[in-house]
Amino acid sequence: MSRETLDVLVIGGGITGAGISLDAAARGMKTGLVEMQDFAAGTSSRSTKLVHGGLRYLKQYEVGLVAEVGTERAIVYENAPHVTEPQWMLLPLVENGSFGKTSMSFGLKVYDRLAKVKKEEQRFMLNKEKTLEKEPLLRNEGLKGGGVYVEYRTDDARLTLETIKRSIEFGANPVNYARVEDFVYENGKAVAVKVKDTVNNKEYTIYANHIINAAGPWVDTLRKKDGSNFGKHLRLTKGIHLVFDRTRFPLRQATYFDTPDGRMAFAIPRDNKTYVGTTDTVYEADIASPRMTEEDRSYVLEISNYMFPELKLTKEDVESSWAGLRPLIYEEGKSASEISRKDEVFLSETGLISIAGGKLTGYRKMAEKAVDIVAERMNIHAPCPTEHIHLSGGAVDGSSGFDTYVKTQAYLGEQAGLSKDEAEQVIEFYGSNAPNVFAHIKKQKKDIEQAGLPLKLGGQILYALEEEMAVTPLDFFNRRAALLFFGMNEVDKWKEPVLAFMKKKAGWNETQAASFVEELETEIRYAKHTEEEVETESAVLS
Ligand SMILES: Cc1cc2nc3c(=O)[nH]c(=O)nc-3n(C[C@H](O)[C@H](O)[C@H](O)COP(=O)(O)OP(=O)(O)OC[C@H]3O[C@@H](n4cnc5c(N)ncnc54)[C@H](O)[C@@H]3O)c2cc1C
């Protein structure tokens, strides 16, 4: 990238930057993207992992926002059915809750209408008995019934990666571990960025005719560097989630419930885990590493025990957790949860385009807005094409053909030595890229076995290293394989041989290996414990 002048350089490899990279490249623009950490290591691996229209925004009368992101759900699903799946959501109707019976029934109907939901996925209402049949763990006291409607569950980091990978197929050049340190100006216009490769400590200058700042919670940090942080600015709010094993929290039905303090939270089953969240508190500390505090954990345990009182969950039941920052647009006089989730574009005199706010769900539309501005400046008349571009791994005969695709392709995994179940799991996770994972297993079976690793895990590591730009073990365990949050027991069990295997395959030197291991261990500690617990433990050790 430093050898040519790009049409567009995107700063930030979260879902917003990924979407822009795909949109711009698909419109024929020479596109580059730099991400200072791993792809999706910012907010885009730390969300509630739902592609949703935001039912609660209806209460704030944000009809336009609900309609726009609501209709996006079906598009995101269709373009990547291996990353997104429909999830029936139960909304318990409770005494003094957010919704009365009529407003819930009406609200859900409006929601379905705005989001143009298909007939078979439209909402239905339940009486108390039927609601308890759906989810027997629910609080009985004050329960009057429920509404059931469809949302979509996703893996945010994988959605980001699949978008990034697809943009590469259109000629884009995204790189991770490349931090923008400064802008370069000519005649008052931003014409290039100075970038540091944080793995090899090299510096580059990348010239681009148009620079888009999609740095999520860091958008204002870059606007400050650009001298254009005027007017509206960001307000960061933190949200945390707790993960429990399904044996301890056997939730049958995803539930969106009222909390005693007048907020709403999700409890969602995922494989053999259940996760609950989230909090929404104003955040002003270090942006790169928001942590779960004692207060955050107590709050989520409290609301879980309130809605599912039989469980009596304690901190010992928390298997993993994560904390993320919402990059919201500040609104005078509004509390954290009242601030709109709308996105906003800021145009600087220097030519820098910044885009922030919004949601994972609306990433395609956000990308369209940013790329439309570039297209206009370039005088290109190419409409946004991404509605009909499947993401990487999404060539699976559409959402309706995906189940058959999984069944008919599984033999390829079996040929590589996996069991049928394992082969199907790989296809469900990687979609039409699964044959590449199988090919790695076939080619390096001996090495994987010698490393003492299961074939499936070995194949995933090789695929992550060779085809998904994973650099560190944390990149693998967190953003490539989703194990740090939903498979902590797997992480504990396999981390030693995985580290040895990755070191050998990626050729880390001893210093790199030591720092990568340290990073992984730190993140495991923070996923299992609160910030206070980790600090106390570190103080005792030192
Ligand atoms: C707790 C929580 C729950 C949420 N739940 C949902 C949900 O269920 N559904 C939904 O639709 N949305 C949800 N959201 C919102 C959604 O996650 C965010 O809107 C979205 O992920 C933001 O993506 P982004 O790309 O703008 O930011 P990010 O993902 O943070 O990406 C910005 C990237 O820019 C990089 N960067 C910053 N500075 C530089 C630099 N100088 N050089 C190079 N790179 C740089 C960062 O490292 C980062 O990776 C949730 C958010 C939170 C916090």
Side-chain angles (χ1 to χ4, degrees), residues 61-115:
Y61 301 105
E62 300 217 44
V63 175
L65 178 69
V66 174
E68 181 171 293
V69 277
T71 39
E72 273 305 292
R73 300 179 312 171
I75 299 171
V76 178
Y77 175 43
E78 200 51 45
N79 287 336
H82 61 305
V83 189
T84 308
E85 59 177 304
Q87 170 87 67
W88 285 103
M89 188 71 72
L90 172 65
L91 192 61
L93 180 62
V94 294
E95 245 165 51
N96 303 321
S98 294
F99 295 96
K101 191 172 174 191
T102 318
S103 66
M104 180 183 289
S105 170
F106 180 69
L108 289 176
K109 189 143 202 134
V110 172
Y111 189 65
D112 281 349
R113 271 278 166 83
L114 288 173

Tab-separated table of all heavy atoms in Angstrom, residues 61-115:
chain	number	residue	atom	x	y	z
A	61	TYR	N	-39.574	6.065	20.148
A	61	TYR	CA	-40.185	6.546	18.897
A	61	TYR	C	-39.166	6.712	17.768
A	61	TYR	O	-39.319	7.571	16.909
A	61	TYR	CB	-40.958	7.860	19.124
A	61	TYR	CG	-42.038	7.693	20.146
A	61	TYR	CD1	-41.889	8.206	21.416
A	61	TYR	CD2	-43.187	6.961	19.847
A	61	TYR	CE1	-42.857	8.005	22.390
A	61	TYR	CE2	-44.171	6.749	20.811
A	61	TYR	CZ	-43.989	7.270	22.075
A	61	TYR	OH	-44.943	7.057	23.016
A	62	GLU	N	-38.091	5.898	17.801
A	62	GLU	CA	-37.099	5.987	16.725
A	62	GLU	C	-37.521	5.056	15.593
A	62	GLU	O	-36.837	4.085	15.266
A	62	GLU	CB	-35.719	5.604	17.262
A	62	GLU	CG	-35.291	6.527	18.392
A	62	GLU	CD	-33.816	6.835	18.368
A	62	GLU	OE1	-33.290	7.106	17.276
A	62	GLU	OE2	-33.208	6.791	19.437
A	63	VAL	N	-38.664	5.383	15.000
A	63	VAL	CA	-39.265	4.504	14.007
A	63	VAL	C	-38.351	4.301	12.792
A	63	VAL	O	-38.173	3.186	12.307
A	63	VAL	CB	-40.638	5.086	13.582
A	63	VAL	CG1	-41.260	4.270	12.465
A	63	VAL	CG2	-41.571	5.117	14.778
A	64	GLY	N	-37.730	5.409	12.356
A	64	GLY	CA	-36.847	5.339	11.180
A	64	GLY	C	-35.689	4.391	11.422
A	64	GLY	O	-35.347	3.555	10.578
A	65	LEU	N	-35.086	4.497	12.612
A	65	LEU	CA	-33.936	3.647	12.956
A	65	LEU	C	-34.361	2.177	12.984
A	65	LEU	O	-33.696	1.306	12.419
A	65	LEU	CB	-33.395	4.059	14.337
A	65	LEU	CG	-32.222	3.256	14.891
A	65	LEU	CD1	-30.960	3.532	14.081
A	65	LEU	CD2	-31.951	3.600	16.358
A	66	VAL	N	-35.502	1.897	13.608
A	66	VAL	CA	-35.979	0.516	13.695
A	66	VAL	C	-36.267	-0.031	12.290
A	66	VAL	O	-35.916	-1.173	11.970
A	66	VAL	CB	-37.245	0.423	14.587
A	66	VAL	CG1	-37.831	-0.979	14.569
A	66	VAL	CG2	-36.908	0.825	16.018
A	67	ALA	N	-36.868	0.791	11.459
A	67	ALA	CA	-37.194	0.330	10.111
A	67	ALA	C	-35.924	0.031	9.325
A	67	ALA	O	-35.821	-0.999	8.657
A	67	ALA	CB	-38.015	1.393	9.381
A	68	GLU	N	-34.922	0.921	9.449
A	68	GLU	CA	-33.701	0.725	8.656
A	68	GLU	C	-32.932	-0.503	9.128
A	68	GLU	O	-32.619	-1.391	8.345
A	68	GLU	CB	-32.802	1.972	8.718
A	68	GLU	CG	-31.543	1.773	7.866
A	68	GLU	CD	-30.708	3.036	7.712
A	68	GLU	OE1	-31.184	3.979	7.066
A	68	GLU	OE2	-29.584	3.055	8.230
A	69	VAL	N	-32.643	-0.583	10.430
A	69	VAL	CA	-31.844	-1.730	10.879
A	69	VAL	C	-32.672	-3.010	10.876
A	69	VAL	O	-32.143	-4.099	10.663
A	69	VAL	CB	-31.159	-1.527	12.262
A	69	VAL	CG1	-29.876	-0.777	12.125
A	69	VAL	CG2	-32.038	-0.848	13.253
A	70	GLY	N	-33.980	-2.847	11.087
A	70	GLY	CA	-34.856	-4.033	11.070
A	70	GLY	C	-34.803	-4.739	9.725
A	70	GLY	O	-34.643	-5.954	9.649
A	71	THR	N	-34.905	-3.979	8.659
A	71	THR	CA	-34.882	-4.613	7.333
A	71	THR	C	-33.479	-5.146	7.001
A	71	THR	O	-33.338	-6.079	6.232
A	71	THR	CB	-35.314	-3.637	6.210
A	71	THR	OG1	-34.765	-2.371	6.513
A	71	THR	CG2	-36.801	-3.504	6.089
A	72	GLU	N	-32.462	-4.557	7.612
A	72	GLU	CA	-31.100	-5.029	7.365
A	72	GLU	C	-30.894	-6.456	7.858
A	72	GLU	O	-30.057	-7.195	7.349
A	72	GLU	CB	-30.079	-4.123	8.076
A	72	GLU	CG	-29.647	-2.919	7.284
A	72	GLU	CD	-29.102	-3.266	5.909
A	72	GLU	OE1	-28.025	-3.872	5.800
A	72	GLU	OE2	-29.788	-2.933	4.930
A	73	ARG	N	-31.663	-6.846	8.892
A	73	ARG	CA	-31.435	-8.171	9.502
A	73	ARG	C	-31.514	-9.274	8.467
A	73	ARG	O	-30.663	-10.165	8.418
A	73	ARG	CB	-32.475	-8.433	10.598
A	73	ARG	CG	-32.437	-7.434	11.708
A	73	ARG	CD	-33.475	-7.716	12.752
A	73	ARG	NE	-34.803	-7.965	12.185
A	73	ARG	CZ	-35.835	-8.401	12.865
A	73	ARG	NH1	-35.708	-8.640	14.154
A	73	ARG	NH2	-36.998	-8.582	12.294
A	74	ALA	N	-32.556	-9.207	7.640
A	74	ALA	CA	-32.756	-10.271	6.655
A	74	ALA	C	-31.616	-10.287	5.630
A	74	ALA	O	-31.205	-11.356	5.167
A	74	ALA	CB	-34.091	-10.063	5.954
A	75	ILE	N	-31.094	-9.105	5.317
A	75	ILE	CA	-30.001	-9.027	4.329
A	75	ILE	C	-28.720	-9.623	4.914
A	75	ILE	O	-28.032	-10.424	4.271
A	75	ILE	CB	-29.771	-7.555	3.882
A	75	ILE	CG1	-31.033	-7.005	3.227
A	75	ILE	CG2	-28.562	-7.435	2.967
A	75	ILE	CD1	-31.014	-5.517	2.940
A	76	VAL	N	-28.440	-9.254	6.163
A	76	VAL	CA	-27.232	-9.788	6.816
A	76	VAL	C	-27.330	-11.313	6.881
A	76	VAL	O	-26.363	-12.034	6.603
A	76	VAL	CB	-27.059	-9.195	8.245
A	76	VAL	CG1	-25.844	-9.784	8.936
A	76	VAL	CG2	-26.931	-7.676	8.186
A	77	TYR	N	-28.514	-11.806	7.210
A	77	TYR	CA	-28.737	-13.253	7.317
A	77	TYR	C	-28.536	-13.934	5.956
A	77	TYR	O	-27.808	-14.918	5.836
A	77	TYR	CB	-30.152	-13.482	7.843
A	77	TYR	CG	-30.603	-14.927	7.896
A	77	TYR	CD1	-29.750	-15.932	8.351
A	77	TYR	CD2	-31.907	-15.278	7.531
A	77	TYR	CE1	-30.172	-17.256	8.408
A	77	TYR	CE2	-32.335	-16.595	7.594
A	77	TYR	CZ	-31.466	-17.571	8.028
A	77	TYR	OH	-31.880	-18.873	8.092
A	78	GLU	N	-29.136	-13.371	4.950
A	78	GLU	CA	-29.078	-13.994	3.624
A	78	GLU	C	-27.644	-14.024	3.082
A	78	GLU	O	-27.232	-14.985	2.439
A	78	GLU	CB	-29.988	-13.188	2.662
A	78	GLU	CG	-30.418	-13.935	1.427
A	78	GLU	CD	-31.025	-15.300	1.742
A	78	GLU	OE1	-31.857	-15.412	2.664
A	78	GLU	OE2	-30.641	-16.277	1.055
A	79	ASN	N	-26.883	-12.976	3.379
A	79	ASN	CA	-25.523	-12.899	2.838
A	79	ASN	C	-24.498	-13.717	3.611
A	79	ASN	O	-23.389	-13.937	3.139
A	79	ASN	CB	-25.060	-11.438	2.756
A	79	ASN	CG	-25.768	-10.703	1.628
A	79	ASN	OD1	-26.234	-11.325	0.682
A	79	ASN	ND2	-25.870	-9.392	1.742
A	80	ALA	N	-24.878	-14.147	4.801
A	80	ALA	CA	-23.932	-14.950	5.592
A	80	ALA	C	-24.689	-15.884	6.529
A	80	ALA	O	-24.622	-15.742	7.745
A	80	ALA	CB	-23.008	-14.034	6.390
A	81	PRO	N	-25.407	-16.872	5.968
A	81	PRO	CA	-26.209	-17.728	6.854
A	81	PRO	C	-25.356	-18.589	7.787
A	81	PRO	O	-25.872	-19.130	8.766
A	81	PRO	CB	-27.015	-18.620	5.893
A	81	PRO	CG	-26.554	-18.318	4.525
A	81	PRO	CD	-25.579	-17.190	4.545
A	82	HIS	N	-24.047	-18.705	7.486
A	82	HIS	CA	-23.193	-19.477	8.393
A	82	HIS	C	-22.792	-18.666	9.623
A	82	HIS	O	-22.243	-19.222	10.570
A	82	HIS	CB	-21.929	-19.959	7.653
A	82	HIS	CG	-21.064	-18.849	7.127
A	82	HIS	ND1	-21.540	-17.855	6.295
A	82	HIS	CD2	-19.753	-18.568	7.300
A	82	HIS	CE1	-20.552	-17.024	5.990
A	82	HIS	NE2	-19.464	-17.440	6.586
A	83	VAL	N	-23.042	-17.365	9.611
A	83	VAL	CA	-22.643	-16.534	10.751
A	83	VAL	C	-23.862	-16.042	11.532
A	83	VAL	O	-23.763	-15.633	12.671
A	83	VAL	CB	-21.849	-15.287	10.260
A	83	VAL	CG1	-21.246	-14.544	11.426
A	83	VAL	CG2	-20.759	-15.677	9.284
A	84	THR	N	-25.005	-16.086	10.901
A	84	THR	CA	-26.200	-15.487	11.489
A	84	THR	C	-27.336	-16.508	11.441
A	84	THR	O	-27.469	-17.201	10.439
A	84	THR	CB	-26.611	-14.263	10.644
A	84	THR	OG1	-25.468	-13.433	10.499
A	84	THR	CG2	-27.710	-13.470	11.281
A	85	GLU	N	-28.119	-16.586	12.517
A	85	GLU	CA	-29.276	-17.488	12.420
A	85	GLU	C	-30.477	-16.913	13.161
A	85	GLU	O	-30.311	-16.218	14.166
A	85	GLU	CB	-28.940	-18.878	12.946
A	85	GLU	CG	-28.491	-18.904	14.376
A	85	GLU	CD	-28.237	-20.323	14.845
A	85	GLU	OE1	-29.149	-21.149	14.746
A	85	GLU	OE2	-27.129	-20.585	15.325
A	86	PRO	N	-31.688	-17.199	12.657
A	86	PRO	CA	-32.871	-16.675	13.328
A	86	PRO	C	-32.962	-17.215	14.748
A	86	PRO	O	-32.582	-18.354	14.997
A	86	PRO	CB	-34.035	-17.214	12.496
A	86	PRO	CG	-33.436	-17.646	11.212
A	86	PRO	CD	-32.027	-18.002	11.473
A	87	GLN	N	-33.435	-16.392	15.622
A	87	GLN	CA	-33.517	-16.773	17.035
A	87	GLN	C	-34.857	-16.260	17.563
A	87	GLN	O	-35.059	-15.044	17.636
A	87	GLN	CB	-32.355	-16.099	17.768
A	87	GLN	CG	-32.387	-16.164	19.265
A	87	GLN	CD	-31.746	-17.423	19.783
A	87	GLN	OE1	-30.555	-17.605	19.641
A	87	GLN	NE2	-32.538	-18.302	20.368
A	88	TRP	N	-35.770	-17.159	17.888
A	88	TRP	CA	-37.024	-16.715	18.488
A	88	TRP	C	-36.704	-16.112	19.845
A	88	TRP	O	-35.949	-16.690	20.620
A	88	TRP	CB	-37.992	-17.891	18.659
A	88	TRP	CG	-38.607	-18.321	17.359
A	88	TRP	CD1	-38.272	-19.409	16.625
A	88	TRP	CD2	-39.660	-17.663	16.647
A	88	TRP	NE1	-39.040	-19.472	15.490
A	88	TRP	CE2	-39.909	-18.410	15.480
A	88	TRP	CE3	-40.419	-16.495	16.873
A	88	TRP	CZ2	-40.885	-18.039	14.543
A	88	TRP	CZ3	-41.390	-16.138	15.941
A	88	TRP	CH2	-41.611	-16.907	14.794
A	89	MET	N	-37.275	-14.950	20.107
A	89	MET	CA	-36.976	-14.240	21.355
A	89	MET	C	-38.261	-14.090	22.165
A	89	MET	O	-39.284	-13.679	21.615
A	89	MET	CB	-36.423	-12.857	20.977
A	89	MET	CG	-35.869	-12.034	22.092
A	89	MET	SD	-34.319	-12.650	22.752
A	89	MET	CE	-33.188	-12.252	21.447
A	90	LEU	N	-38.188	-14.446	23.443
A	90	LEU	CA	-39.351	-14.306	24.322
A	90	LEU	C	-39.266	-12.992	25.095
A	90	LEU	O	-38.226	-12.666	25.663
A	90	LEU	CB	-39.379	-15.484	25.304
A	90	LEU	CG	-40.414	-15.422	26.416
A	90	LEU	CD1	-41.837	-15.487	25.861
A	90	LEU	CD2	-40.194	-16.556	27.412
A	91	LEU	N	-40.377	-12.278	25.078
A	91	LEU	CA	-40.455	-11.012	25.814
A	91	LEU	C	-41.507	-11.218	26.902
A	91	LEU	O	-42.701	-11.180	26.619
A	91	LEU	CB	-40.909	-9.932	24.817
A	91	LEU	CG	-40.826	-8.479	25.176
A	91	LEU	CD1	-39.404	-8.054	25.457
A	91	LEU	CD2	-41.380	-7.642	24.019
A	92	PRO	N	-41.088	-11.515	28.145
A	92	PRO	CA	-42.087	-11.778	29.184
A	92	PRO	C	-42.916	-10.524	29.486
A	92	PRO	O	-42.365	-9.423	29.548
A	92	PRO	CB	-41.250	-12.183	30.399
A	92	PRO	CG	-39.892	-12.492	29.878
A	92	PRO	CD	-39.712	-11.653	28.661
A	93	LEU	N	-44.197	-10.744	29.643
A	93	LEU	CA	-45.106	-9.642	29.985
A	93	LEU	C	-45.257	-9.670	31.501
A	93	LEU	O	-45.761	-10.650	32.059
A	93	LEU	CB	-46.452	-9.908	29.303
A	93	LEU	CG	-47.566	-8.912	29.490
A	93	LEU	CD1	-47.177	-7.555	28.921
A	93	LEU	CD2	-48.826	-9.417	28.790
A	94	VAL	N	-44.761	-8.611	32.156
A	94	VAL	CA	-44.767	-8.639	33.625
A	94	VAL	C	-45.473	-7.414	34.188
A	94	VAL	O	-45.571	-6.383	33.515
A	94	VAL	CB	-43.319	-8.697	34.185
A	94	VAL	CG1	-42.641	-9.995	33.817
A	94	VAL	CG2	-42.483	-7.511	33.702
A	95	GLU	N	-45.933	-7.547	35.418
A	95	GLU	CA	-46.592	-6.424	36.081
A	95	GLU	C	-45.622	-5.253	36.189
A	95	GLU	O	-44.448	-5.463	36.551
A	95	GLU	CB	-46.983	-6.857	37.495
A	95	GLU	CG	-48.485	-6.900	37.694
A	95	GLU	CD	-48.818	-7.673	38.944
A	95	GLU	OE1	-48.224	-7.339	39.994
A	95	GLU	OE2	-49.613	-8.622	38.843
A	96	ASN	N	-46.068	-4.075	35.889
A	96	ASN	CA	-45.228	-2.865	35.922
A	96	ASN	C	-43.987	-2.962	35.039
A	96	ASN	O	-42.964	-2.356	35.329
A	96	ASN	CB	-44.771	-2.544	37.365
A	96	ASN	CG	-45.948	-2.377	38.283
A	96	ASN	OD1	-46.962	-1.809	37.891
A	96	ASN	ND2	-45.828	-2.908	39.485
A	97	GLY	N	-44.075	-3.754	33.971
A	97	GLY	CA	-42.928	-3.889	33.068
A	97	GLY	C	-42.913	-2.800	32.002
A	97	GLY	O	-43.734	-1.872	32.029
A	98	SER	N	-41.991	-2.940	31.032
A	98	SER	CA	-41.855	-1.929	29.980
A	98	SER	C	-43.105	-1.873	29.113
A	98	SER	O	-43.435	-0.847	28.552
A	98	SER	CB	-40.691	-2.271	29.064
A	98	SER	OG	-39.505	-2.186	29.748
A	99	PHE	N	-43.735	-3.043	28.934
A	99	PHE	CA	-44.883	-3.110	28.025
A	99	PHE	C	-46.118	-3.647	28.752
A	99	PHE	O	-46.010	-4.565	29.568
A	99	PHE	CB	-44.584	-4.085	26.872
A	99	PHE	CG	-43.473	-3.625	25.979
A	99	PHE	CD1	-42.174	-4.077	26.178
A	99	PHE	CD2	-43.712	-2.765	24.919
A	99	PHE	CE1	-41.138	-3.674	25.349
A	99	PHE	CE2	-42.676	-2.355	24.082
A	99	PHE	CZ	-41.399	-2.810	24.290
A	100	GLY	N	-47.289	-3.099	28.425
A	100	GLY	CA	-48.550	-3.708	28.818
A	100	GLY	C	-48.916	-4.695	27.719
A	100	GLY	O	-48.241	-4.749	26.677
A	101	LYS	N	-50.015	-5.470	27.929
A	101	LYS	CA	-50.363	-6.492	26.951
A	101	LYS	C	-50.617	-5.885	25.562
A	101	LYS	O	-50.086	-6.353	24.549
A	101	LYS	CB	-51.596	-7.250	27.438
A	101	LYS	CG	-51.864	-8.477	26.627
A	101	LYS	CD	-52.957	-9.296	27.265
A	101	LYS	CE	-53.292	-10.450	26.323
A	101	LYS	NZ	-54.482	-11.147	26.721
A	102	THR	N	-51.403	-4.812	25.536
A	102	THR	CA	-51.748	-4.231	24.240
A	102	THR	C	-50.532	-3.589	23.587
A	102	THR	O	-50.277	-3.775	22.400
A	102	THR	CB	-52.847	-3.163	24.420
A	102	THR	OG1	-53.783	-3.670	25.342
A	102	THR	CG2	-53.512	-2.813	23.126
A	103	SER	N	-49.748	-2.866	24.416
A	103	SER	CA	-48.600	-2.172	23.804
A	103	SER	C	-47.566	-3.187	23.327
A	103	SER	O	-46.907	-2.980	22.307
A	103	SER	CB	-47.986	-1.148	24.755
A	103	SER	OG	-47.408	-1.776	25.853
A	104	MET	N	-47.439	-4.331	24.037
A	104	MET	CA	-46.485	-5.341	23.574
A	104	MET	C	-46.951	-5.948	22.259
A	104	MET	O	-46.195	-6.058	21.283
A	104	MET	CB	-46.305	-6.451	24.620
A	104	MET	CG	-45.303	-7.512	24.164
A	104	MET	SD	-45.120	-8.891	25.312
A	104	MET	CE	-44.270	-8.151	26.670
A	105	SER	N	-48.218	-6.335	22.230
A	105	SER	CA	-48.759	-6.964	21.035
A	105	SER	C	-48.666	-6.005	19.846
A	105	SER	O	-48.205	-6.363	18.762
A	105	SER	CB	-50.212	-7.358	21.311
A	105	SER	OG	-50.816	-7.744	20.128
A	106	PHE	N	-49.035	-4.740	20.106
A	106	PHE	CA	-49.009	-3.736	19.049
A	106	PHE	C	-47.562	-3.409	18.656
A	106	PHE	O	-47.214	-3.375	17.478
A	106	PHE	CB	-49.741	-2.478	19.550
A	106	PHE	CG	-49.773	-1.379	18.540
A	106	PHE	CD1	-50.530	-1.502	17.377
A	106	PHE	CD2	-49.047	-0.206	18.741
A	106	PHE	CE1	-50.548	-0.473	16.436
A	106	PHE	CE2	-49.063	0.814	17.812
A	106	PHE	CZ	-49.811	0.677	16.650
A	107	GLY	N	-46.715	-3.231	19.681
A	107	GLY	CA	-45.308	-2.875	19.429
A	107	GLY	C	-44.619	-3.944	18.586
A	107	GLY	O	-43.914	-3.640	17.618
A	108	LEU	N	-44.844	-5.219	18.942
A	108	LEU	CA	-44.200	-6.299	18.191
A	108	LEU	C	-44.730	-6.362	16.758
A	108	LEU	O	-43.996	-6.683	15.826
A	108	LEU	CB	-44.408	-7.649	18.896
A	108	LEU	CG	-43.628	-7.834	20.198
A	108	LEU	CD1	-43.979	-9.170	20.851
A	108	LEU	CD2	-42.124	-7.750	19.985
A	109	LYS	N	-45.993	-6.052	16.623
A	109	LYS	CA	-46.582	-6.067	15.280
A	109	LYS	C	-45.947	-4.960	14.424
A	109	LYS	O	-45.567	-5.184	13.272
A	109	LYS	CB	-48.102	-5.867	15.383
A	109	LYS	CG	-48.791	-6.091	14.090
A	109	LYS	CD	-50.143	-6.760	14.270
A	109	LYS	CE	-50.506	-7.421	12.968
A	109	LYS	NZ	-50.980	-8.728	13.068
A	110	VAL	N	-45.824	-3.773	15.030
A	110	VAL	CA	-45.202	-2.644	14.320
A	110	VAL	C	-43.759	-3.013	13.946
A	110	VAL	O	-43.290	-2.760	12.840
A	110	VAL	CB	-45.215	-1.368	15.206
A	110	VAL	CG1	-44.405	-0.244	14.572
A	110	VAL	CG2	-46.640	-0.915	15.441
A	111	TYR	N	-43.088	-3.639	14.913
A	111	TYR	CA	-41.695	-4.047	14.708
A	111	TYR	C	-41.596	-4.979	13.502
A	111	TYR	O	-40.775	-4.793	12.608
A	111	TYR	CB	-41.233	-4.757	15.979
A	111	TYR	CG	-39.760	-5.079	16.075
A	111	TYR	CD1	-38.808	-4.058	16.136
A	111	TYR	CD2	-39.312	-6.387	16.172
A	111	TYR	CE1	-37.462	-4.350	16.267
A	111	TYR	CE2	-37.970	-6.692	16.304
A	111	TYR	CZ	-37.052	-5.664	16.358
A	111	TYR	OH	-35.719	-5.964	16.495
A	112	ASP	N	-42.473	-5.996	13.467
A	112	ASP	CA	-42.495	-6.934	12.333
A	112	ASP	C	-42.773	-6.202	11.025
A	112	ASP	O	-42.165	-6.464	9.996
A	112	ASP	CB	-43.572	-8.009	12.547
A	112	ASP	CG	-43.123	-9.099	13.504
A	112	ASP	OD1	-41.913	-9.132	13.822
A	112	ASP	OD2	-43.960	-9.915	13.925
A	113	ARG	N	-43.709	-5.277	11.078
A	113	ARG	CA	-44.077	-4.502	9.882
A	113	ARG	C	-42.905	-3.675	9.377
A	113	ARG	O	-42.547	-3.713	8.202
A	113	ARG	CB	-45.188	-3.499	10.228
A	113	ARG	CG	-46.561	-4.000	10.085
A	113	ARG	CD	-47.035	-3.913	8.611
A	113	ARG	NE	-48.235	-4.714	8.472
A	113	ARG	CZ	-49.444	-4.267	8.778
A	113	ARG	NH1	-49.612	-3.036	9.164
A	113	ARG	NH2	-50.477	-5.061	8.675
A	114	LEU	N	-42.298	-2.919	10.345
A	114	LEU	CA	-41.192	-2.024	9.964
A	114	LEU	C	-40.038	-2.824	9.385
A	114	LEU	O	-39.377	-2.404	8.442
A	114	LEU	CB	-40.689	-1.240	11.185
A	114	LEU	CG	-41.614	-0.148	11.717
A	114	LEU	CD1	-41.059	0.424	13.012
A	114	LEU	CD2	-41.769	0.977	10.697
A	115	ALA	N	-39.817	-4.008	9.969
A	115	ALA	CA	-38.669	-4.814	9.532
A	115	ALA	C	-39.052	-5.752	8.392
A	115	ALA	O	-38.236	-6.565	7.967
A	115	ALA	CB	-38.131	-5.606	10.716
